[in-house]
Amino acid sequence: MIAPRVFWPALIVIVAVAAMALAFPQFTNDVFTGAQNWIVADFGWYYMLAIGFFVVFVVGIAFTKLGAVRLGRDDEKPEFGVLSWFAMLFSAGMGIGLIFYGVGEPLTYATTMPKPGWEGSDTELAGLAMAQTFVHWGLHPWAVYAVIGLALAFAIHRRGRPVSIRWALEPLFGERVKGWVGDVIDVVAIFGTVFGVATSLGLGVQQIASGMEAIGVVGESDVWLLVILILVITALAMVSVISGLGAGIKWLSNINLSLAGLLLISMLILGPTLFLLRNFVESLGVYLANVLQMTVDVGAYQGAPAQEWLSSWTIFYWGWWIAWAPFVGVFIARISRGRTVRQFIAGVLLVPTIVGFIWFSVMGGSGLFRQFFGEGDLVQDGEVSPEGVLFQVIGDLPLGDVLSVLTIIVVAIFFITSSDSGSLVVDMLASGGHPNPPVWSRVLWAVLEGALAITLLLAGGLGALQAGSLITALPFSIILILMCIATVRALRYEHRQLEYRQTMERLERVTQHVTGELSSSLEDVPELRSYVDDRIDYRLSRTRGIGRQGRSERPRTGR
């Protein structure tokens, strides 16, 4: 139950990268860093433009008549309820990153690493910092997910195709998606998914280790503690992925979203509540005023410092989101059967974006308040530790120890849902799109994701993981652009068919009404009823045969 031309090339290359990173860590780090620097220097503008295009494309589709097409049969109901659907797509799409960067990212922009070109007081920088964080975690990443999720959901649920990336491009390539073109597309998608999940695993274990250090479970974390955490949580993820989508992943996602909501509400109530609410409103205003400029800001006039900043933040995020896109796209497509295109886009774009804004307003606002109006101790030696400042902020709140434990649990479950969902998606791609791939290969991919995360951590830490995501994102971004073209072509054809069916249904209702009215009006003259047959279709049809006078009608032959 595997697709050999997809399974083996992907497996061999991923194992080779992991082995090389383990045998030659410095060489691997140099190669990855060099490739990352080349991409940022020569293709940074392309990443920024592509992400902006995806946002415009998805929003545009939602507001056109194409949004009425249903991702499934015309009368089909959604497979999952709204809450479960949202919980699964949100846990898969953002999980660990929200916890890891929640406090540290806005604080970093406002203090130690403001974006080159920003000017103003601390309060002005804080507003820009929140707005830039909203750009990184709002509409832009979810637009990337929506592009591939929409294309796949249409192919899977409307056209009855297998759960495989290649079928999203069938409107462009036709039968060729069954050959080597489709194999290459699926292999590239597997690379992106595995490297994206490995990056998230690396972030997650650093957060868990910092939490364990903060509550006194360990004295000081090191790389070997991170390795042990990856091994333990990968084992837990394997248990979940074996149980499948309807059991383990669904329930873990619901539990995790509930716990994350409890953590968010606790920090809002126990922290500087009024400031956090004001921070949300003001940050939203700064975001709306600057989102267009931040979307296309490639640092053309700030030189090398701007390129270095973009490499560490914006372009890294764009690469990470694109690398995650196959995984999240397949996953949200799989769980979105029965929704219209407009419902799909609204759910995927708006709900996670709004929740993300609230999350960073509370988490990031708590860090900014402590730094500017409180103890001012979150910047140490001119740096901000993203994985550590969260526990500093939480630890000083009432019930701080309880909330710290809760945070570790949330990170761990996010870790598990990312790993098991990613393993399930990779397995579906490697098995030719089978919706229930074999258990042994699910376990294999979960192990490989953990192994790659370990080897890249040993090779170069978080930098190597980030570089891996950025490198795999470059070829897949081209596939995403082709998906946009294919989706428009497919939806236009489907909408024309939908309009035709609706027109025929309306015409049929009118015909029945007219026939019934005519028959009922003849009741007083029974003699006339024998001249009216209520089976006759009284619709006007196009006149045929005009201009054919003089032609002889020839009988048809078998040819």
Side-chain angles (χ1 to χ4, degrees):
M1 294 180 64
I2 63 171
R5 294 182 302 179
V6 176
F7 181 89
W8 291 112
L11 179 65
I12 291 171
V13 173
I14 292 171
V15 170
V17 170
M20 185 178 68
L22 192 60
F24 308 102
Q26 187 58 49
F27 173 76
T28 303
N29 187 44
D30 292 342
V31 170
F32 275 52
T33 303
Q36 180 184 25
N37 293 337
W38 172 70
I39 290 174
V40 171
D42 293 347
F43 290 97
W45 63 270
Y46 163 74
Y47 274 90
M48 303 289 282
L49 197 61
I51 296 293
F53 166 73
F54 294 145
V55 175
V56 173
F57 170 79
V58 173
V59 173
I61 288 289
F63 281 98
T64 66
K65 58 186 180 181
L66 303 181
V69 176
R70 188 171 295 277
L71 303 174
R73 296 186 301 272
D74 290 337
D75 58 347
E76 194 161 13
K77 301 299 182 183
E79 180 180 5
F80 296 99
V82 173
L83 184 59
S84 294
W85 179 58
F86 166 63
M88 285 191 284
L89 69 89
F90 193 78
S91 296
M94 288 295 169
I96 293 173
L98 285 175
I99 308 292
F100 189 85
Y101 290 109
V103 174
E105 184 172 341
L107 182 64
T108 300
Y109 299 158
T111 55
T112 62
M113 289 184 66
K115 189 176 184 179
W118 286 358
E119 296 178 354
S121 62
D122 288 344
T123 55
E124 292 173 325
L125 289 180
L128 291 171
M130 289 299 305
Q132 186 69 56
T133 304
F134 285 179
V135 170
H136 290 162
W137 295 86
L139 288 174
H140 296 67
W142 287 100
V144 178
Y145 299 158
V147 166
I148 185 170
L150 178 60
L152 286 171
F154 178 85
I156 295 168
H157 303 308
R158 188 78 181 184
R159 304 278 294 172
R161 300 300 188 245
V163 185
S164 184
I165 300 292
R166 67 178 71 198
W167 295 107
L169 295 175
E170 185 185 16
L172 279 183
F173 295 113
E175 292 292 316
R176 284 176 291 177
V177 297
K178 298 179 181 179
W180 68 268
V181 173
D183 296 334
V184 171
I185 291 170
D186 284 343
V187 169
V188 172
I190 289 176
F191 290 161
T193 301
V194 171
F195 276 93
V197 172
T199 302
S200 294
L201 299 187
L203 296 177
V205 294
Q206 292 185 53
Q207 190 89 72
I208 293 173
S210 295
M212 295 172 65
E213 186 176 340
I215 63 177
V217 175
V218 297
E220 184 176 356
S221 61
D222 56 17
V223 68
W224 294 110
L225 176 61
L226 304 182
V227 170
I228 293 172
L229 289 173
I230 290 178
L231 292 174
V232 171
I233 300 186
T234 299
L236 295 176
M238 286 190 295
V239 175
S240 177
V241 80
I242 289 171
S243 66
L245 180 65
I249 298 176
K250 175 182 176 180
W251 286 109
L252 280 176
S253 298
N254 288 334
I255 293 171
N256 207 28
L257 193 66
S258 301
L259 293 178
L262 177 61
L263 176 63
L264 181 70
I265 294 172
S266 299
M267 292 192 67
L268 177 62
I269 295 175
L270 299 176
T273 305
L274 185 58
F275 172 82
L276 297 180
L277 295 175
R278 290 172 174 171
N279 180 52
F280 170 70
V281 175
E282 185 165 340
S283 300
L284 186 60
V286 179
Y287 167 78
L288 294 175
N290 293 275
V291 60
L292 183 59
Q293 186 272 336
M294 289 180 172
T295 298
V296 294
D297 183 8
V298 295
Y301 305 112
Q302 283 78 39
Q307 299 306 312
E308 182 179 355
W309 191 94
L310 290 170
S311 174
S312 300
W313 295 103
T314 303
I315 297 179
F316 157 65
Y317 275 131
W318 295 168
W320 193 16
W321 303 145
I322 293 174
W324 266 83
F327 152 47
V328 182
V330 170
F331 190 74
I332 63 177
R334 171 67 179 80
I335 63 177
S336 298
R337 185 175 65 196
R339 303 189 183 277
T340 65
V341 170
R342 190 170 292 113
Q343 290 170 347
F344 177 88
I345 293 175
V348 171
L349 282 189
L350 297 181
V351 178
T353 295
I354 293 172
V355 173
F357 286 0
I358 296 173
W359 179 275
F360 279 100
S361 296
V362 173
M363 296 294 180
S366 298
L368 293 172
F369 183 86
R370 180 183 178 113
Q371 182 64 31
F372 292 137
F373 307 110
E375 291 81 352
D377 58 349
L378 298 182
V379 179
Q380 300 290 337
D381 299 325
E383 294 183 355
V384 174
S385 171
E387 65 271 22
V389 291
L390 172 62
F391 292 99
Q392 282 184 262
V393 172
I394 290 177
D396 286 346
L397 295 175
L399 303 176
D401 291 340
V402 175
L403 293 177
S404 296
V405 174
L406 177 63
T407 302
I408 295 175
I409 295 173
V410 170
V411 173
I413 300 180
F414 269 135
F415 195 148
I416 294 171
T417 54
S418 297
S419 179
D420 61 10
S421 303
S423 302
L424 181 60
V425 167
V426 170
D427 202 14
M428 285 190 282
L429 297 178
S431 63
H434 197 289
N436 296 297
V439 173
W440 67 266
S441 53
R442 295 188 206 179
V443 174
L444 173 64
W445 291 112
V447 170
L448 281 178
E449 289 159 2
L452 187 63
I454 290 173
T455 54
L456 290 181
L457 275 176
L458 295 176
L462 183 59
L465 291 166
Q466 292 176 339
S469 291
L470 192 61
I471 293 167
T472 56
L474 183 59
F476 198 77
S477 64
I478 300 172
I479 296 175
L480 284 174
I481 293 174
L482 294 176
M483 280 185 185
C484 293
I485 302 172
T487 299
V488 170
R489 178 176 294 184
L491 289 178
R492 288 180 64 187
Y493 172 80
E494 198 66 31
H495 188 266
R496 287 196 299 268
Q497 297 297 313
L498 179 62
E499 285 184 329
Y500 174 77
R501 290 192 296 269
Q502 291 174 344
T503 300
M504 296 305 296
E505 289 173 1
R506 288 195 297 267
L507 198 54
E508 185 65 30
R509 289 195 297 269
V510 170
T511 299
Q512 293 175 358
H513 176 73
V514 171
T515 303
E517 288 292 322
L518 182 58
S519 299
S520 62
S521 67
L522 299 177
E523 291 180 357
D524 296 336
V525 189
E527 294 81 3
L528 293 178
R529 298 184 65 83
S530 60
Y531 295 96
V532 179
D533 189 343
D534 60 6
R535 294 172 299 174
I536 295 176
D537 187 349
Y538 288 93
R539 293 174 291 187
L540 293 176
S541 300
R542 181 184 302 173
T543 303
R544 300 180 182 273
I546 296 178
R548 298 174 64 92
Q549 291 84 351
R551 292 188 182 181
S552 60
E553 294 293 337
R554 299 178 181 177
R556 293 189 177 185
T557 66
R559 303 176 60 187

